[in-house]
Amino acid sequence: MLEKKALPTSTFACGPGQALHTLRQTPLCATHFERNHRAPDVVRDIYEYADRELRRLLKIPPDYSLCFFPGGGNAAMDAVLWNLTTDTLSGLAFGEFSRRWAGTMAERLPNVKNTVRFTKPGELIPTEEPDYNAGLIVLTPNETSTGVQLPNEYLSRVWQKRGKNTLVAWDATSCAGGRLLPKNEFDILLFSLQKCFGTMGGTSVLILSPAAQARLQKLPRVVPYFLDLTRAVEQAKNFQTVNTPNTTAIWCAGQAAAWMNQNGGLAAMDALCRAHAKWITDWAATTDFCTPLVSDEKYRSYTTLTLQITDDKINADDINRALINTGLENLKDGLKRHPYAPKNSLRVSCFPFVDTDGVSQYKKLTAALDEIVRQLH
């Protein structure tokens, strides 16, 4: 029998390899990030756990497939387009990410009639509704770039009016885990993990209805190996992925979803995000220098909120610079607007974990902004 004290403490497996010794002394070890992702205990402790907690949080039916997908939101969006678009595609484009999905990405599909509706000047969302009989309808419930959201009644109407052979896909990256969406009124739900779940980027989740899974059995085109959802769905049945995944990201997602479930579930997270956004909008109403970019609350996201600076003497870049100059690590990115949003604006995340106890962090933020603006004047 081998004596343990005489054995090496390093892992000699070829994939993944051993990490830097200092990293091994942190809680990262709990994520099995240097273990074979097909090992039974890794499957149980990482994938099966995260799958169960996410399904419980989002109330996903057992016959819907849940896949962890590499590459983040863009990869997931591409996979949906290439695997599930037939000969017609429709949807809405009203911000950077919805335009990228429905426009830039979709336009690369061969032999597809694209009737996606784009916003015209002055519109928050397109006035013209999508083609309800298209093979695939792509929607973005919350636009991360501008803070515009599609109301639940709009999402429900699309679901109710969809054609017999139509699939409805949602990119819920900006709101999954923080917004109560119409329950299971989609065929495809995708989101990356770095927003409401507070996990590093590069990993996404794809949830597919039985109808979407059935369409995969007769793919309308040749799909690149990396994007092939048929294989991803098959592997997911065994709580697995096609390619070596980021087990740390999946572990973090499982822990985040478990905390959400233990603290009131999705309804509580929705209420928490609303409270965060309400504090910011109520504060903005007391100032004479900013206002929510989206004035109509019905269309205003409460997970990512954009504020427009209304005082010409105040520059959002100066506000961001002042936050960065505090030297605090958490403020180094300031409140920078998304490039798609109007100039001289700020963007504030209202995700659940920004302040799990209420609005104390937001009170400190708005007090800091008041003082910065006072000094700028």
Side-chain angles (χ1 to χ4, degrees):
M1 185 175 178
L2 295 172
E3 292 187 21
K4 287 186 178 180
K5 64 180 181 180
L7 294 175
T9 57
S10 296
T11 177
F12 299 93
C14 293
Q18 179 174 302
L20 181 67
H21 66 283
T22 52
L23 291 179
R24 300 182 84 208
Q25 297 166 7
T26 72
L28 279 174
C29 289
T31 72
H32 298 318
F33 70 109
E34 57 183 13
R35 292 281 313 287
N36 187 313
H37 64 102
R38 304 196 193 281
D41 61 324
V42 178
V43 172
R44 180 191 66 238
D45 296 345
I46 302 290
Y47 304 102
E48 199 167 348
Y49 181 83
D51 180 287
R52 180 176 68 250
E53 295 298 333
L54 284 168
R55 285 180 181 275
R56 179 183 167 196
L57 179 71
L58 302 175
K59 294 181 171 51
I60 304 301
D63 57 350
Y64 278 54
S65 175
L66 189 153
C67 308
F68 292 104
F69 201 72
N74 282 341
M77 285 188 271
D78 248 344
V80 169
L81 291 173
W82 282 85
N83 285 269
L84 297 169
T85 305
T86 52
D87 58 348
T88 53
L89 172 76
S90 195
L92 302 180
F94 54 97
E96 168 64 22
F97 299 101
S98 54
R99 280 176 174 263
R100 181 183 301 173
W101 192 19
T104 307
M105 290 181 170
E107 287 167 1
R108 301 191 178 197
L109 291 169
N111 305 316
V112 171
K113 180 182 178 183
N114 188 324
T115 60
V116 167
R117 317 306 190 191
F118 289 79
T119 48
K120 298 180 177 65
E123 292 181 341
L124 290 175
I125 64 170
T127 304
E128 190 176 10
E129 297 191 350
D131 175 7
Y132 292 110
N133 291 307
L136 180 69
I137 296 176
V138 295
L139 300 172
T140 305
N142 289 63
E143 244 299 345
T144 311
S145 63
T146 56
V148 175
Q149 74 171 13
L150 297 178
N152 277 3
E153 55 266 33
Y154 191 105
L155 296 170
S156 292
R157 184 165 71 250
V158 173
W159 182 250
Q160 292 158 8
K161 297 179 69 172
R162 75 193 188 285
K164 180 181 178 181
N165 298 311
T166 299
L167 298 181
V168 176
W170 292 350
D171 168 22
T173 291
S174 187
C175 63
R179 176 183 172 185
L180 275 170
L181 292 162
K183 185 178 177 182
N184 302 324
E185 294 186 355
F186 63 85
D187 291 294
I188 307 101
L189 174 69
L190 70 89
F191 55 92
S192 51
L193 296 171
Q194 76 268 29
K195 304 295 184 184
C196 290
F197 293 99
T199 301
M200 63 285 296
T203 302
S204 54
V205 172
L206 272 163
I207 299 169
L208 288 86
S209 72
Q213 295 173 56
R215 184 172 290 183
L216 290 177
Q217 302 308 310
K218 41 187 177 181
L219 288 175
R221 63 186 52 79
V222 176
V223 177
Y225 177 91
F226 182 80
L227 299 178
D228 189 348
L229 290 182
T230 307
R231 300 170 64 251
V233 168
E234 283 302 311
Q235 290 284 5
K237 293 176 181 177
N238 297 313
F239 305 104
Q240 268 300 300
T241 58
V242 175
N243 302 295
T244 303
N246 183 337
T247 54
T248 300
I250 298 171
W251 181 85
C252 288
Q255 296 298 309
W259 185 93
M260 291 174 171
N261 285 324
Q262 292 160 11
N263 287 274
L266 193 54
M269 299 306 107
D270 182 283
L272 192 55
C273 291
R274 287 179 184 272
H276 295 167
K278 185 177 186 303
W279 176 268
I280 293 294
T281 54
D282 286 353
W283 163 80
T286 69
T287 75
D288 56 2
F289 62 84
C290 72
T291 190
L293 177 65
V294 181
S295 58
D296 189 340
E297 188 175 350
K298 179 180 178 181
Y299 295 98
R300 185 196 305 150
S301 172
Y302 51 87
T303 54
T304 54
L305 183 65
T306 297
L307 297 173
Q308 182 70 57
I309 302 296
T310 54
D311 188 335
D312 293 338
K313 297 177 182 178
I314 299 172
N315 192 312
D317 291 339
D318 293 334
I319 294 175
N320 281 312
R321 195 173 299 112
L323 290 171
I324 293 168
N325 287 341
T326 63
L328 295 175
E329 192 71 25
N330 60 299
L331 297 177
K332 280 187 176 180
D333 289 330
L335 299 174
K336 293 178 182 176
R337 71 180 181 91
H338 189 277
Y340 190 88
K343 291 182 179 180
N344 213 22
S345 60
L346 302 168
R347 187 170 55 154
V348 185
S349 69
C350 299
F351 305 136
F353 298 153
V354 177
D355 195 332
T356 56
D357 296 323
V359 296
S360 60
Q361 292 296 315
Y362 288 90
K363 290 180 180 180
K364 292 180 179 180
L365 173 64
T366 53
L369 292 176
D370 282 333
E371 177 59 20
I372 289 170
V373 170
R374 187 191 68 79
Q375 293 185 23
L376 288 175
H377 270 296

